[in-house]
Structure formats: C-alpha cells, structure tokens
C-alpha cells in the first residue's frame, strides 16, 4: 500500500482532494458528494481528503447480520485468533505507509507508535490469548456444571454464545487505528462482525488501515465494514442482537444511553467517555527522590504525547501543598529540555499540533474556562506558539498549542474537576493530607485511570483503597518500576480499559473479559447427555465408552466420553512410609498415628495425596508409544476423602474435552479423573491435560 492509494494525492486544491470511501458489503463505495467536509493536514493546513455523507448504513447492518455472521460463525475461536495474528503481520508490513498518513493528523513518530503499533499489539495479543485461553470451539463453557437433582440426572451449565447481530463501533478522532482495533479484535474473536464508524477529522488514517486489512485477503466476508461520514440515526437500525461500542464525550454517551434502541430494544451499549484523570504524588516523594523524578516525567509525557489528546492523559496533578512550587518548576524544566513543538515531519520535533483547527480552538476555549473557574496559567500561554516547520510550502495555519500548566489556589474549585481541555493541558492542585488527596481525586466523578506515586506502602495502600472505586485502572509508580512501567496513559489489552461514572461505566479491552462483551451468557438445563452434547464437554452421568483404551486413539478417532476404568490397588503402611522416605514428605498425618488421629480431618495415619495421584497415573496410563505425546498439567485438583492403610483405590479417566490446535499436528485433551476407594467414596477429582496427535 502506498500513501496515494490510501488517501489519494495530496493537493493544495481543496476541490480536488480525494473523497474518502466507505467499505460496505465487501466493496469500496464513494459517498454522496453533494455536501463534503474538507480534512486538512494538522501542521500545514494542506487539504488531505473530503468526507461526504455516509453510504447506505442499513445495507451494512444487513450484510453484517447475514453474510458476516455466517462467515465468522463457522470459524472456531482458534481460527479467528490466527486471522487476528495474520492481520497484525499485514499491518506491520504496511507500517511505514501508515506512519506517513498518521503524520498528517499531527502525530510524531512516537505518537504514531502509540496509535499504530498499539493497535497492532492489540491484534497480536488477542491472537495469542484466543489460542491459549479459549477452546477450539464456537461456544465457551462458563464455570463448572451445577447438579440440580439428587441422583445427578438433571443439571445446569452456563455457556457463552456470540451475539447474532453486529458490533457497531463509534470511535474518537485521537486514536484512529488503535481505537478501531481495540474494539474490532475482541468482537472478531467472539465471532461478531464489526461496522467501524471513525471520527471524521482523522477518518483518512482509519480508512488507510482498513484498506490494508481488506487487501490482505484475510478477512472473512462481512466481518469488517467501514462507514465514513455521518452515521446519524444508526441506532434506529439496531436491536437486541447488536452491540454498540462508543468512545467519545460523556454528553454524547449519555444521549446514546437514553436512546430507545438501548432502553426499549435492548441494544448492548459500552461507553468509554472523557474523564479528568489524576496523578497523586505521595508525601514521601520529595524533590530528589526517584519517585519525584518519575512523577514529573509522567506528567510531562502525558501533557505532550499525542499533544495531550488522550482520554487517559493526566489532567489533575495532585501533590502535597508544600510541593506545589517544586513540581511546577520541575515540570517547567523538563518541558524546556524535552519538548520541541512543530511539524512532526521536521527533524527534532517531539510534539506535534492538535488534530485540527477546530480541536485547537476547542482546547483554547476550555483553558479559558479553567482560568475563569479559578485557574492561573503558570507555564505556557494561549498565544500562537512558535513551531518548527518542515521543508516545503506551508498551505495554511497549523493547529499548534504549546503545553499549558495551570495552578489552582482552591483545590476544590469545581472547574478543575469538571472541565477537560483535550490537549497539552494539566492543572496542579495541593492537598493537605491523604484523605484530602483521595477526596480531590474522586471529585472527578469517575475516571479511566489514576497514578499513585510513592515508595511508602502505607501511603500507597491508603490512596489506592480510597480512589479505586472511582477509577478503572490505578498505576502505582515508584523508583523500581520507573523504567519498566507501561505508563499512566497506556491501556494494555490484557487489562480492563474503562472507568465508572463520568468515564462511561463500561469496559473496553481486558483480555478475554472484553470478548464476552460481544457474547451472551445462557443457563442451559438438561440431562448429563444433553449438556454434554450442547457444550462439547463430558459431564458425569453422560454416556461413556469403555472399549479401546483412549490413549490408543488419535484425535481423529477419540470422542468425548471415551474412558478407561482401572483395577483397584491396595494401600499399605509400607507404601506410605516408603513414599515418605523417598520424597522427604514426612508430614505428621502420614507418620504419627496419635497426632494424625488428633487432627479433625484424619482417622489416623493416611496416604499422601501425591502418592495417590502418582498411583492413579500408573493405573490409567497405557505405557506403549502412541498418539498421546505428553502430559502437561493438572487442574482443579481436590482431595476429598482420606485414604488409610488397608484401603483400595481405583481411577476412572474420561475424555472430557477435545481441542485440536489449528496450526499444529496435535491437540489438547482434557480428561476427567476421579479416584475412589473400595466403598466408592470419591478420594480425589482433577483434570488431566495431555497433548495428543491428530493422526
């Protein structure tokens, strides 16, 4: 892909700027050009592209529900995960071209890494987690089975199945690649097709990334569509089959939440809204400590990365009253040393412009509101700043705003806890004690993230306990993690991204948790046989096959319910003492009759649990070479009934779940192991995990 193929030739003639196309029903479609919005280079004002009215959104929804659902539905989790990995590799190969487009949004190379590489990293992560943490199936079993009858003949099981509709994803302008992929990846892994609606100011970068993905040939039909332009009324097309993921302002989030589509028709809505995030400096972190230096570095990074256009950026810098002046001067010095404002394509520039002139004007207006609300600008100004220009003609004004730090004498002033200037802007507040720091942080009404910077465990504990209910993520920063920390403003796909209250009350990302946003949990009830058939996991009471030893069967012929029942093995006192001598495990319950009998759990000396597990393996293992390649673990082990000298034990091993690996010549088999004594009392239960050849 070249820059020209992504967005067309850049031209100073606005009327000749290319029209951005939408990708609907697996075809690129031009918009209605009757009315268009011109998108300009953030640094130079040069025309980049034009956006018209979106093509037929109803057609996109219908195509997703029919073609997209069918093509994704036939793929198990592992196949979807492998596609995500391959898409990440395709985007990686096109990264240089995407960076060139990204520069037009005002992004420096470092900013583009956050957006482009961050989005690619999301795909890689879900590609990995999908294969490691999900079965190679289309249904996800949730938790253990529930027995609902005395005889075990009737029970229940929770399962997750994918939503039968579309994931409609409305994204913000500040992360045109990462913002799309953080929603797309878990929806795709769940098996739900996506319609992506990017924010207009930077839609050309989203379109460039989507073009790479579509031209890769990896996407199943209908699994990803792109709608560029106004999507007004899209909620009218959705119902309980569908999910909406929204990132944007809190006011728009509230409007969506009140819509009949959500309130009446049951559309699933997840919102991630603006928030006035905080960073708290502990009283122990005085000037000169590693914590103070790490704190100041974090504040400056969050003010300047993406020119402060991050929903996770630090807006409130909450420090001990005695440290306010020190923090201001340290921030001033670091800004002077680290920040060069200008065109991101110019050499040496470390901070670019805001994404558009409209965003510049909005940010300046909000800073003025903060000043009216009691803030005093102590670093920077609202005057047009000097900016480094790249070689070549300047076609217009750039959307530049210099970093601005305000100080609030009244730390409780409502403006600083409510108004977000979405740019390189932060405010310093002084607190009296830890309770006051907690109070100030929570005045934000719910935030995506907060940082606690301290090396004192007592301080950290008090602050984290106090602010956690109001924050979706809390970063604890001290000198030991200053270099390794992922940072205040960097969500990671492994952990929840979202926050309560003003921040939207929803979640994006969060590992497999986010996949479940696009699935629905159902409680199934029925006989063991019915539940086994519906879930693909054998449960006690379902049919079982005692024929050929299951360790002689490759995956191609192994079936859920294949089992082996061992002969009994007697347990002697000599066995117990030999195991104790051999392993060194001479716990008194195995060696001292009087002490063991005084224990409320044992009748006297008992066999080691691990001795019984070792014997169980000897009882069920078929020793000859065969399709079973390796035993790689036990899970859910419980010791239930003690075994005394003179008892006998036997084991039943049943194929519980079979998961072929998509890219390997083997798969995973989970076996249900039950060890019982001569009275048929359960001694131990656990799952055995093995790797078994497909053929």
């Amino acid at each position: 892909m070249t820059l020209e193929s992504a967005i067309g030739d850049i031209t100073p003639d606005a009327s000749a700027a290319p029209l951005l196309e939408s990708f609907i029903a697996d075809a690129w479609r031009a918009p209605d050009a009757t009315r268009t919005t011109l998108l300009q280079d953030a640094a130079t004002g040069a025309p980049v592209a034009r956006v018209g009215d979106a093509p037929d959104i109803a057609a996109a929804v219908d195509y997703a529900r029919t073609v997209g659902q069918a093509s994704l539905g036939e793929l198990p989790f592992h196949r979807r995960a492998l596609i995500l990995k391959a898409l990440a590799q395709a985007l990686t190969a096109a990264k240089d071209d995407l960076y060139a487009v990204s520069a037009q949004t005002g992004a420096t190379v470092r900013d583009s890494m956050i957006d482009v590489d961050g989005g690619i990293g999301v795909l890689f992560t879900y590609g990995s987690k999908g294969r490691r943490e999900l079965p190679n199936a289309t249904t996800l079993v949730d938790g253990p089975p529930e027995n609902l009858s005395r005889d075990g003949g009737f029970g229940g099981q929770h399962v997750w199945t994918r939503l039968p509709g579309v994931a409609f994803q409305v994204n913000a302008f500040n992360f045109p690649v990462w913002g799309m992929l953080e929603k797309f990846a878990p929806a795709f892994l769940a098996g739900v097709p996506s319609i992506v609606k990017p924010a207009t100011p930077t839609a050309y970068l989203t379109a460039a990334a989507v073009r790479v993905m579509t031209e890769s040939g990896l996407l199943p039909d209908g699994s990803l569509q792109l709608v560029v332009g106004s999507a007004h009324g899209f909620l009218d097309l959705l119902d309980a089959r569908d999910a909406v993921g929204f990132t944007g302002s809190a006011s728009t989030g509230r409007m969506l939440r009140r819509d009949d589509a959500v309130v009446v028709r049951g559309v699933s809505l997840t919102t991630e809204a603006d928030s006035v995030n905080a960073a708290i400096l502990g009283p122990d972190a005085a000037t000169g400590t590693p914590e103070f230096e790490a704190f100041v570095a974090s504040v400056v990074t969050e003010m300047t990365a993406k020119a402060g256009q991050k929903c996770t950026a630090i807006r409130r810098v909450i420090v001990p009253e005695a440290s306010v002046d020190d923090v201001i001067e340290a921030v001033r010095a670091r800004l002077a040393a680290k920040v060069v404002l200008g065109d991101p394509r110019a050499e040496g520039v470390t901070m670019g412009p805001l994404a558009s002139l409209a965003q510049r004007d909005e940010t300046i207006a909000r800073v003025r509101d903060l000043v009216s609300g009691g803030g005093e600008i102590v670093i920077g100004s609202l005057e047009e700043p000097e900016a480094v220009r790249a070689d070549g003609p300047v076609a217009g004004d750039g959307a530049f705003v210099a970093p601005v730090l305000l100080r609030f004498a009244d730390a409780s002033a409502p403006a600083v806890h409510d108004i977000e200037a979405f740019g390189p802007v932060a405010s310093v507040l002084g607190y009296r004690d830890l309770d006051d720091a907690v109070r100030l942080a929570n005045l934000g009404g719910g935030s995506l993230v907060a940082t606690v910077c301290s090396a004192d465990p007592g301080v950290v504990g008090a602050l984290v306990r106090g602010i956690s209910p109001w924050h979706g993520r809390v970063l604890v920063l001290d000198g030991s993690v200053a270099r390794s920390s992922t940072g205040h403003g960097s969500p990671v796909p492994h952990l929840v991204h979202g926050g309560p209250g003003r921040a939207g009350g929803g979640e994006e990302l969060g590992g497999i948790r986010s996949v479940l946003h696009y699935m629905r949990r159902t409680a199934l009830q029925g006989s063991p046989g019915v539940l086994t058939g519906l879930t693909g996991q054998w449960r006690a009471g379902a049919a079982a096959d005692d024929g050929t030893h299951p360790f002689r069967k490759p995956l191609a012929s192994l079936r859920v319910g294949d089992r082996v029942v061992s002969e009994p093995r007697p347990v002697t006192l000599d066995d117990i003492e030999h195991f104790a001598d051999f392993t060194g495990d001479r716990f008194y319950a195995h060696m001292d009759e009087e002490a063991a009998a005084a224990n409320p759990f044992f009748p006297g000396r008992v066999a080691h649990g691990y001795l019984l597990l070792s014997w169980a393996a000897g009882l069920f293992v078929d020793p000859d070479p065969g399709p079973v390649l390796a035993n790689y673990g036990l899970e859910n082990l419980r010791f239930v009934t003690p075994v005394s000298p003179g008892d006998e034990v036997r084991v039943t091993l049943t194929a519980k779940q079979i998961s072929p690996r998509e890219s390997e010549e083997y798969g995973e088999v989970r076996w249900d192991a039950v060890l019982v004594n001569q009275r048929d009392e359960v001694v131990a239960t656990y799952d055995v995990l093995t790797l078994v050849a497909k053929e």
Side-chain angles (χ1 to χ4, degrees), residues 376-393:
E376 173 194 2
I377 296 177
V378 292
I379 297 177
S381 76
L382 298 183
E383 301 298 322
E384 182 176 353
E386 292 187 3
V388 178
R389 305 287 183 174
D391 294 338

Side-chain angles (χ1 to χ4, degrees), residues 564-569 612-613 615-621 649-654 672-677 684 686 688:
V564 58
V565 181
S566 79
E567 295 297 320
R569 175 165 180 166
L612 301 174
L613 292 183
W615 278 358
L619 291 170
F620 66 65
V621 164
V649 293
R650 69 179 188 278
V651 65
T652 299
L653 188 78
T654 310
D672 179 81
V674 180
L675 195 63
V676 299
N677 62 21
Y686 52 102
V688 177

Side-chain angles (χ1 to χ4, degrees), residues 313-646:
I314 295 170
R315 304 299 179 195
R316 296 173 297 153
V317 183
I318 302 174
V319 305
E321 288 180 342
S323 299
V324 169
D325 289 336
D326 290 341
V327 168
I328 290 172
E329 292 310 310
V331 169
R332 188 192 313 277
R334 190 170 181 89
L335 285 170
K338 298 290 185 179
V339 177
V340 177
L341 182 64
D343 187 323
R345 289 153 295 210
E347 186 176 353
V349 166
T350 61
M351 177 179 143
L354 301 187
S356 66
L357 294 175
Q359 183 58 34
R360 178 198 65 183
D361 295 343
E362 169 70 15
T363 298
I364 291 173
R366 297 291 76 76
V367 173
R368 288 179 174 143
D369 290 342
L370 288 168
V371 171
S372 297
E376 173 194 2
I377 296 177
V378 292
I379 297 177
S381 76
L382 298 183
E383 301 298 322
E384 182 176 353
E386 292 187 3
V388 178
R389 305 287 183 174
D391 294 338
V394 176
D397 292 334
F400 294 102
V401 174
V404 173
L405 186 69
L406 298 98
R407 175 177 186 165
F408 276 77
D410 178 7
S412 299
V416 73
H417 302 290
D418 183 58
I419 297 171
E420 181 180 29
F422 203 71
V425 182
S427 299
V428 178
L429 312 174
Y431 69 81
R432 297 184 302 274
D433 52 32
L434 295 184
D435 288 341
D436 193 39
V438 168
R439 180 186 67 85
L440 293 174
N442 294 345
L443 281 177
S447 299
L448 296 170
V449 57
T451 285
V452 170
C453 189
S454 170
D456 184 327
V459 169
V460 170
L463 292 175
V464 169
R465 286 191 298 271
I467 70 174
S468 288
W470 291 92
H471 294 81
R473 177 166 58 91
V474 176
L475 167 67
V476 178
L477 183 63
D478 60 43
S480 70
V481 298
R483 292 186 178 275
S484 60
S485 166
T486 54
H488 168 99
S490 298
V492 292
H494 316 73
L495 301 177
V496 165
H497 175 52
R502 172 177 172 151
E507 293 179 2
E508 294 176 356
L509 300 179
I512 298 303
R513 292 169 57 97
S514 63
V515 177
L516 302 183
H517 292 322
Y518 302 96
M519 306 185 77
R520 187 154 289 149
R521 183 165 50 191
T522 303
L524 302 179
Q525 292 178 270
S527 69
V530 165
L531 295 178
T532 295
L534 291 173
T535 64
Q537 287 193 11
W538 182 85
R539 65 173 291 168
D545 185 352
D546 296 334
T548 304
H549 194 298
F551 276 29
R552 306 312 312 162
K553 296 182 178 181
L555 289 191
S557 57
L558 186 68
R559 297 293 180 267
V560 168
D562 287 353
R563 75 179 181 187
V564 58
V565 181
S566 79
E567 295 297 320
R569 175 165 180 166
V571 181
T572 69
L573 190 59
D574 286 344
D575 293 324
I576 296 171
E577 292 185 341
H578 173 72
F579 189 82
D581 291 338
F582 188 69
T583 64
D585 179 359
R586 304 183 63 83
F587 185 64
Y588 72 88
H590 313 306
M591 307 304 294
D592 187 326
E593 181 69 28
E594 183 177 347
N599 186 304
F601 300 111
F602 304 122
R605 294 178 68 178
V606 295
H608 305 69
Y610 298 115
L611 166 61
L612 301 174
L613 292 183
S614 300
W615 278 358
L619 291 170
F620 66 65
V621 164
D622 185 288
D624 295 328
V628 176
L629 305 175
N631 174 340
Y632 77 102
L634 302 178
E635 290 184 354
N636 306 316
L637 172 63
R638 293 293 183 272
F639 294 114
V640 181
T641 303
V643 172
S644 302

Side-chain angles (χ1 to χ4, degrees), residues 24-40:
I24 295 177
D26 291 320
W28 288 96
R29 301 189 181 186
D32 180 350
T34 304
R35 297 177 303 170
T36 62
T37 299
L38 177 66
L39 306 183
Q40 298 171 279

Side-chain angles (χ1 to χ4, degrees), residues 128-172:
S128 175
K129 293 181 80 68
R131 283 173 289 149
R132 287 189 289 107
E133 300 179 31
L134 294 174
N136 198 15
T138 56
T139 298
L140 178 61
V141 175
D142 180 22
E146 299 287 348
N147 185 30
L148 302 176
S149 66
R150 289 181 179 271
D151 63 0
F154 183 74
Q157 178 68 65
H158 289 99
V159 297
W160 292 94
T161 54
R162 66 200 179 103
L163 293 176
V166 59
F168 200 102
Q169 297 157 5
V170 183
N171 297 320

